[in-house]
Amino acid sequence: MNTKIENTRYLRDREAVINLTTKLVRIPSVYRENDPDANETKVAIYVAQYLRDIGIETHIEEVVPGRPNVIGIVDSGKPGKTLLFEGHTDVVTEGDLDLWTHDPFSAQIVDGRMYGRGTNDTKGNLACMITAVHSLLQDREEFSGKIILCIPVDEEGLMLGIKHFIKQGWADGVDGAIICEPEENNVCIAQRGALRIRVDIFGKMAHGAISWSGINPNWRLARLIVELEKLEKTEQDRFGEDPYLKWPSITPTIIQSPAKGDAQINVIPGQCMMTLDIRTVPAQDHGELVNKINTIMDELKKNDADFNAELTILDNRPSTITPKEDPVVQAIYEAVKSVTGEDPIYNGVPGATDGTFLHMHGIPIVTIGAGDRDIPHQINEYIDIEELAVTTAIYREAALRFLNVKF
């Protein structure tokens, strides 16, 4: 390809991806359960119309009221592989507005960075994948097979969008998927698993001054937390530090006492509750880990007849790993090398993504995208605009390599 043509295309796509990211960030898509207007509807409608305007076959499917998936299809008309790009439309809450230097929904650009909720995670990368595919269409690039743009809701929640996408059959026959998340354009071939657990501990409500007349569940919860910390250390010693994912972890997150109703300083609660955010590496088995937690609870019960606890699994997402030799990994690796002129970095995703469920469906996945890996969900979230242009070029090149090159 002529260098002048490549530079012209790069500048064209750079302007397009910056403009699209700006538009997407300026449409708030924080999901708030009790607000009927706080969801992904507006941004999904915008994206769907954008895809139609650039000539992409587009479908909208409501997952739950007010929360629609968008699916784009580009079919070459030639037999071949199917490549899926995935980028979600929802973003996490902006938090305390007073702490933001720039309005979180203004997409303000300062010193080469665009600030706002979703710039990094992951509206910027959503814009990159759309712009990359548009670029292929604009240049009438020849390729075989099909490209699917999967644009789901609820990635930041229970991932209802990707589950619905798979259930409706859209993922059937997909040969490889590129998960568009902020990873500093590292080639991420592994993801930590996520096991979310709720533990309810039951006691007997009583006056705080007459403690012997009640059963305090808080003491029992404290003992359980101490034992879980020991289990975390045991698991870390057993499995060591994963080369891509670091350490397995067991993290108490929400602790609520009483579990329901109002707390009062002179009242022993009748029930308390804790949630656990457990992150695993590929060597761990989730079923075995749950059994270990149940064993701890059984031992506590043996030593305390008043220990009464109930464990509920809220979410169970296994860890994932894709071999370096897989065609979708190779396509991304070679694309990064071609676009940046540097040797790509293999890495892993510290959390779970929508790609987890695509992996469970039998689809090889690789996660890559623009954005500092430590910035998601933070105040003053940002993206470097030049990185958006580079990522767009990587996605474009990866699509051509995956669909046209035999690895």
Side-chain angles (χ1 to χ4, degrees):
M1 174 69 74
N2 183 291
T3 302
K4 184 177 180 180
I5 293 174
E6 287 183 344
N7 289 340
T8 300
R9 183 182 67 222
Y10 182 87
L11 293 174
R12 176 199 69 195
D13 294 347
R14 179 183 185 276
E15 180 180 5
V17 74
I18 292 170
N19 289 340
L20 180 53
T21 302
T22 300
K23 293 287 189 182
L24 296 178
V25 173
R26 287 178 177 173
I27 305 172
S29 54
V30 177
Y31 175 66
R32 294 184 173 92
E33 186 175 3
N34 297 318
D35 185 345
D37 296 321
N39 50 44
E40 301 93 338
T41 294
K42 291 180 181 178
V43 74
I45 290 172
Y46 180 86
V47 168
Q49 189 58 53
Y50 189 95
L51 294 182
R52 293 189 182 106
D53 288 345
I54 62 177
I56 293 178
E57 176 189 336
T58 305
H59 305 264
I60 298 181
E61 293 184 345
E62 193 167 59
V63 178
V64 293
R67 311 191 74 182
N69 284 347
V70 179
I71 302 102
I73 307 291
V74 179
D75 193 336
S76 70
K78 304 174 186 176
K81 293 182 289 189
T82 297
L83 175 65
L84 184 146
F85 284 97
E86 186 276 337
H88 58 90
T89 51
D90 61 318
V91 298
V92 298
T93 176
E94 66 276 21
D96 186 349
L97 287 172
D98 292 338
L99 297 178
W100 284 78
T101 304
H102 311 285
D103 185 319
F105 301 109
S106 67
Q108 188 170 348
I109 297 175
V110 180
D111 296 330
R113 287 178 171 174
M114 183 187 297
Y115 290 86
R117 183 56 86 220
T119 50
N120 176 291
D121 184 13
T122 197
K123 286 180 175 177
N125 290 302
L126 171 57
C128 288
M129 76 185 211
I130 293 172
T131 304
V133 174
H134 185 200
S135 180
L136 295 175
L137 296 176
Q138 286 176 296
D139 296 336
R140 294 186 171 88
E141 291 281 7
E142 292 288 331
F143 62 88
S144 301
K146 184 189 301 183
I147 297 173
I148 299 177
L149 297 176
C150 170
I151 307 168
V153 299
D154 195 46
E155 192 271 352
E156 302 292 1
L158 293 178
M159 301 188 177
L160 299 176
I162 195 67
K163 292 173 183 176
H164 186 274
F165 176 88
I166 294 169
K167 185 177 180 180
Q168 294 301 111
W170 292 107
D172 295 351
V174 171
D175 298 287
I178 297 172
I179 311 304
C180 305
E181 294 280 355
E183 298 296 343
E184 300 172 23
N185 283 327
N186 292 181
V187 180
C188 295
I189 59 173
Q191 294 182 126
R192 290 169 94 197
L195 182 61
R196 273 71 178 267
I197 291 175
R198 172 178 171 134
V199 180
D200 287 280
I201 298 186
F202 304 94
K204 180 182 177 184
M205 191 173 181
H207 197 300
I210 315 173
S211 58
W212 54 86
S213 67
I215 299 173
N216 196 332
N218 293 336
W219 292 124
R220 280 81 192 173
L221 176 58
R223 291 173 197 143
L224 177 58
I225 290 173
V226 169
E227 294 303 316
L228 289 173
E229 185 178 23
K230 293 177 185 177
L231 177 60
E232 179 188 63
K233 182 65 167 60
T234 299
E235 293 291 292
Q236 291 175 348
D237 289 343
R238 180 184 176 192
F239 295 103
E241 183 177 5
D242 186 273
Y244 302 125
L245 303 173
K246 295 191 180 296
W247 303 95
S249 60
I250 299 173
T251 306
T253 49
I254 302 169
I255 294 175
Q256 198 166 302
S257 183
K260 297 179 181 178
D262 296 326
Q264 195 165 331
I265 197 168
N266 62 343
V267 177
I268 294 173
Q271 179 183 345
C272 64
M273 179 276 290
M274 168 181 66
T275 58
L276 298 172
D277 185 4
I278 301 174
R279 302 296 174 136
T280 59
V281 296
Q284 287 176 289
D285 180 85
H286 284 198
E288 181 183 351
L289 194 53
V290 171
N291 287 338
K292 288 180 179 181
I293 295 172
N294 278 321
T295 298
I296 288 172
M297 290 166 55
D298 289 341
E299 287 298 315
L300 290 171
K301 175 69 174 176
K302 284 181 184 178
N303 296 320
D304 176 4
D306 290 328
F307 184 91
N308 182 12
E310 183 179 283
L311 182 150
T312 305
I313 296 174
L314 303 175
D315 199 16
N316 190 348
R317 310 174 194 170
S319 55
T320 71
I321 188 160
T322 306
K324 291 180 181 179
E325 299 75 26
D326 192 272
V328 74
V329 176
Q330 286 293 298
I332 278 289
Y333 186 93
E334 295 300 328
V336 173
K337 193 171 183 178
S338 173
V339 171
T340 68
E342 300 175 357
D343 288 334
I345 298 170
Y346 283 112
N347 213 327
V349 181
T353 72
D354 280 334
T356 301
F357 293 97
L358 294 170
H359 171 85
M360 292 170 66
H361 196 65
I363 299 170
I365 64 168
V366 61
T367 307
I368 186 171
D372 188 314
R373 287 159 56 92
D374 295 330
I375 292 300
H377 303 189
Q378 289 190 17
I379 298 293
N380 293 322
E381 179 182 345
Y382 69 85
I383 194 78
D384 290 315
I385 58 174
E386 204 57 50
E387 197 174 356
L388 289 173
V390 171
T391 300
T392 300
I394 290 171
Y395 289 167
R396 184 187 194 280
E397 180 68 15
L400 289 176
R401 287 179 178 270
F402 183 78
L403 296 172
N404 289 342
V405 177
K406 292 183 178 180
F407 289 98

